[in-house]
Amino acid sequence: MNWKRPWLGWLLAWALAAGGGAAWLAQQRLQELHETFTTNARVAHRLLSQQLAQHDAILATLSLLQPALSGDAAANAGSSGLSTLYPQVLGVAQRRNDQPWPAHWPADLQALEQQSAASGHAQMDASRLAQGKLFVVQAGQPASYALKLDLHATVPADEWPYPASHSPVRIWLAQGAQSLVLQHGADDAQAPGWALSVSKTLSSPSQVLELHERYKLHPRLLPWPSMLVWALAWALAVAALRAAWQQRAARQRAEQLLQYGQIARLNTLGELAAGMAHELNQPLTAILSNSQAARRLLDDAEPDVDAARQAMQQAAEQAKRASAVIGRLRRLVERPDTATQSQAVPLPQAVADALHLLEPELRQRQVQCQAPVPTPPLPPAQADPIALQQILHNLLLNALQAMEQVPAAERQLLIQHRPQGRHLLLTVQDNGPGIAPELRERLFTPFATTRAQGLGLGLTLSQGLAESMGGQLRLADGGPLCGACFELQLPAMPTRAADTP
């Protein structure tokens, strides 16, 4: 039993409370980041989808109106006003049935035009996606039209949910093996690890591009100030609870010690009366002798008054002496006697209760206490709980006082209990100097003590209590430690099987 680390349980309680609260705060922060990221991702997807849908609308309008355009695609974009309304439109090209596409445009536009004619909607060429260029073709009669787009310019800066200059979110478009970064994000945005990410196809039948967004998370994003305040608050709360618990335990310990002290004084009445009988017998005999002598002197024909007065004075002195003895006896009694009742008492619990009461003494004296619980468990003892506690209290106090001569770092106390037939045997041993040989024979005699302030009634009382419960208390020889070893034998509580005839 370790009395030196009572704070471990409190530290564990604080760690659980502080850790749980910190985890909850971190989870709330992560949930907030996730909701913000998801909302911004939806906004970015909607804005880019609207931009690409405008390209389909432009091509559909050109195919329907069939305007005549020049061979200069860039000039066509400027003259039509498309580059003003849509900065991402770099050029507009027209191909009539008897003409080829502009020479500097991709060679596969003819194949895309055929696909557009078959599908009924525009088709794209994403071979230059990594450079930010995209070509979209819409087949029509008598002419087909194509747009050259700058995907970087498709990002609407005034409505974009991310601050492009310092946003940590990385955003890119992908189509097959081709990809285009629209927003680089933080330097480590692509690093593996803890991150929020989303991938979704833009809502355009012609420009089938995947929008990817990734937000790399860091421990610095957690609410450390709030978590620290939470941990400190719980540290103060646990400290206050521990102080209150210690105060309550100390109060209960003091009340129980007071109760045991009162019961001990009450139980010592019989032993004390027997031990002090000789002190009362002498003054009472002297009172009787002096009274009879005074009477004889006064009955004489010529009474010797002076001698009778002296005899009465001696009788009064002896009466005062007897009164003092009675006063000493009365001061030991504060409560009426209570009848003891035997019941089932688990010895490990009784030992734990006794050690709990003496915990401050054990800690102050730095005593290493061992009280192993036997396996398999023992049956309960048939005893009076109060009397058993009084015996244990006396034995433990004697052991602590005996170890005062031992260095603090070497003080050891061993408490063991084991079955012994129909009884249970409990031993208490210390590593003090032991019992002197001249004291062993009268150890359980009233007023036998080696301490200047001791009455010498503790062991006598404990032996009487043990015998009243059908047990026995004796001084044993040997044991693991070198000090005194006391054995308390108590009857075991009968089991149902033993009670059945």
Side-chain angles (χ1 to χ4, degrees), residues 327-362:
R328 289 167 54 195
L329 182 61
R330 291 181 60 186
R331 283 194 297 271
L332 295 176
V333 182
E334 293 181 6
R335 293 188 178 181
D337 192 10
T338 55
T340 59
Q341 294 182 353
S342 295
Q343 53 184 275
V345 180
L347 284 184
Q349 184 61 44
V351 171
D353 292 342
L355 291 174
H356 174 72
L357 290 176
L358 292 174
E359 179 182 350
E361 289 283 339
L362 292 167

Side-chain angles (χ1 to χ4, degrees), residues 191-203:
W194 191 26
L196 299 175
S197 61
V198 64
S199 299
K200 193 174 182 181
T201 304
L202 296 176
S203 301

